[in-house]
Amino acid sequence: MKFKKVLLSIGVVVALVSSGCSKQKKQADPILTKTQVIQKSQKSFKSGEAKQIVNLKTDTSSQVVASNYSFGGDPTVFHVNYQTEAKGKTHNMDEWISNTGNLYINGQSTWYKTEIEKMSGHSYADVLDAVLNNEMLMNPPKGLTDAYKMKRSGKTYTLTAKITDKKIMKAAVAPIFTTNTQSPQQQKIYQKLAKVGKFEDMTVKLVVKGTKLSTFSYTVNLKIGKMMKMSAGQSYSNFGRHDFLKVPNNALDGKPLPKENKKK
């Protein structure tokens, strides 16, 4: 009898342990729908990296203008590597943009400061809208969300789309043409090219891993006349990498930017 009681007690313990193990087992994450993936991607982010690029090319030449942003902090600041490439030569400009509306420029190891709007033709608010509140990501038009096709690999969801809607493409290039500039004149050139150009198509790619946005990018292609092609795009990556970004003291202590001598 005692032997049977021991066996019964062991059986009860095993049953309790098994029950406890089954309760601790994690339930599998639910598979997200396309709508849910888009909603996850629209969560605001504090910091990350973004790139705007405009590429003008013909059969014989090309010119690339790019703004590489690291952004973050509270309030948000932007560290920008502005780059132009033409005729095999590349020129880089190291800049900071602060919420005060100041632009800090590194000129041959000496920092200078000026008002961003006077220098570039766009404001700090324009950069916020273009990068942190970009409409194609944070408030995508129905034509884009409907066009998305989704693929899933485990917890990674990839949405891709090809757009030919002219209205959507114009809205997509607007922030790029506003902020990927170093002068008001450059803005006007972009706007003129967009006015005379033929919008051909736009490709979009959005990746969500788990429940968080991983990367997002889009490129709009235009044809200008018979000889020239133009592409304009914006992309994001490395979210959360620059939460505590600050304008460095040597930039904050920059000298006023010298005024250009205007000779008639």
Side-chain angles (χ1 to χ4, degrees):
M1 285 292 288
K2 287 182 180 180
F3 182 68
K4 284 185 178 179
K5 284 182 180 179
V6 171
L7 285 176
L8 283 169
S9 63
I10 290 172
V12 171
V13 171
V14 170
L16 287 171
V17 170
S18 299
S19 173
C21 288
S22 64
K23 284 180 181 177
Q24 289 174 3
K25 248 185 180 180
K26 281 188 176 181
Q27 291 185 344
D29 292 330
I31 296 173
L32 302 178
T33 64
K34 185 176 83 169
T35 299
Q36 289 172 325
V37 172
I38 293 169
Q39 288 171 346
K40 300 291 183 188
S41 73
Q42 291 173 295
K43 288 182 180 179
S44 60
F45 38 82
K46 185 176 180 180
S47 72
E49 294 171 7
K51 183 174 184 176
Q52 295 176 332
I53 186 165
V54 174
N55 188 355
L56 280 165
K57 55 185 177 182
T58 65
D59 290 341
T60 57
S61 64
S62 69
Q63 180 180 14
V64 179
V65 180
S67 295
N68 297 278
Y69 298 91
S70 298
F71 60 90
D74 186 18
T76 304
V77 299
F78 298 88
H79 186 201
V80 190
N81 178 265
Y82 183 81
Q83 187 179 78
T84 58
E85 184 181 334
K87 296 180 180 178
K89 294 182 179 180
T90 302
H91 176 71
N92 292 278
M93 185 79 77
D94 186 23
E95 303 175 343
W96 288 87
I97 301 170
S98 77
N99 66 307
T100 61
N102 282 331
L103 175 68
Y104 303 90
I105 305 168
N106 189 352
Q108 295 181 344
S109 300
T110 300
W111 283 96
Y112 299 94
K113 64 180 177 181
T114 185
E115 292 178 42
I116 182 174
E117 201 154 2
K118 285 183 179 178
M119 174 75 178
S120 65
H122 60 261
S123 66
Y124 171 81
D126 289 332
V127 182
L128 276 180
D129 283 343
V131 177
L132 270 73
N133 303 312
N134 187 278
E135 185 178 346
M136 295 300 113
L137 178 60
M138 304 307 291
N139 187 27
K142 189 174 183 299
L144 174 54
T145 57
D146 287 347
Y148 271 136
K149 294 180 180 179
M150 185 172 80
K151 288 184 178 180
R152 181 178 71 88
S153 176
K155 295 181 182 180
T156 299
Y157 299 84
T158 303
L159 273 58
T160 56
K162 188 168 184 177
I163 301 292
T164 55
D165 186 309
K166 189 176 179 180
K167 186 178 179 181
I168 294 175
M169 289 189 282
K170 280 189 170 184
V173 299
I176 302 169
F177 289 169
T178 298
T179 55
N180 187 36
T181 62
Q182 285 288 286
S183 69
Q185 290 75 21
Q186 195 173 0
Q187 270 192 35
K188 290 175 183 177
I189 292 169
Y190 284 156
Q191 290 163 358
K192 185 177 179 180
L193 291 172
K195 191 174 181 179
V196 301
K198 179 185 177 184
F199 284 81
E200 294 188 313
D201 57 48
M202 169 181 172
T203 55
V204 189
K205 184 177 181 180
L206 183 154
V207 178
V208 168
K209 291 186 177 180
T211 60
K212 294 182 179 180
L213 178 65
S214 177
T215 60
F216 176 71
S217 62
Y218 66 84
T219 302
V220 178
N221 297 303
L222 300 88
K223 189 174 182 180
I224 302 163
K226 294 180 179 180
M227 302 295 292
M228 185 179 290
K229 290 185 177 182
M230 182 181 192
S231 64
Q234 186 155 316
S235 60
Y236 294 84
S237 62
N238 295 321
F239 295 103
R241 181 171 285 188
H242 305 284
D243 284 359
F244 304 101
L245 197 65
K246 290 183 179 180
V247 180
N249 289 332
N250 58 345
L252 289 171
D253 295 335
K255 303 173 183 178
L257 187 69
K259 292 182 181 179
E260 290 184 11
N261 292 322
K262 294 183 179 180
K263 296 180 180 180
K264 292 185 178 181

